[in-house]
Amino acid sequence: MTDWSWEYNPSEEHVADGLPLGVIAEVERLATEIAALGYDATKIGRPIDRAGGLREFDILGGRGFINFLAVPRHQCIYVCNITWYG
């Protein structure tokens, strides 16, 4: 287990407003699991050819995706955007 955490950036209202509760719950579950990876979170998702930067990760079997930043200096995952095709 790591000391990493996660949060919405800039805010939950901005990122998750209007999404179904099940989608928000899944995003929060995934963010918790990604944070548990610690520094390795900089390497998961897309793009697959490099580490760092804005990452993209599919949710709910490809029915949407999240964009997040893994910032080692802050030991935090920042969920920046949720795209839901619903």
Side-chain angles (χ1 to χ4, degrees):
M1 195 69 162
T2 68
D3 292 334
W4 282 49
S5 62
W6 74 271
E7 57 187 69
Y8 290 103
N9 184 17
S11 68
E12 181 179 2
E13 293 78 27
H14 180 79
V15 176
D17 189 39
L19 291 172
L21 293 177
V23 173
I24 295 170
E26 177 66 4
V27 167
E28 292 179 357
R29 183 189 71 77
L30 283 173
T32 301
E33 289 188 11
I34 293 169
L37 294 173
Y39 183 78
D40 288 335
T42 63
K43 302 173 190 170
I44 68 162
R46 289 179 297 272
I48 58 173
D49 59 341
R50 63 179 169 83
L54 189 64
R55 313 298 297 171
E56 185 177 286
F57 197 80
D58 288 341
I59 58 172
L60 296 168
R63 293 172 55 199
F65 61 89
I66 61 172
N67 292 107
F68 66 93
L69 288 169
V71 182
R73 180 180 61 207
H74 297 168
Q75 293 188 334
C76 191
I77 302 299
Y78 295 101
V79 176
C80 303
N81 185 50
I82 303 169
T83 301
W84 175 243
Y85 301 123

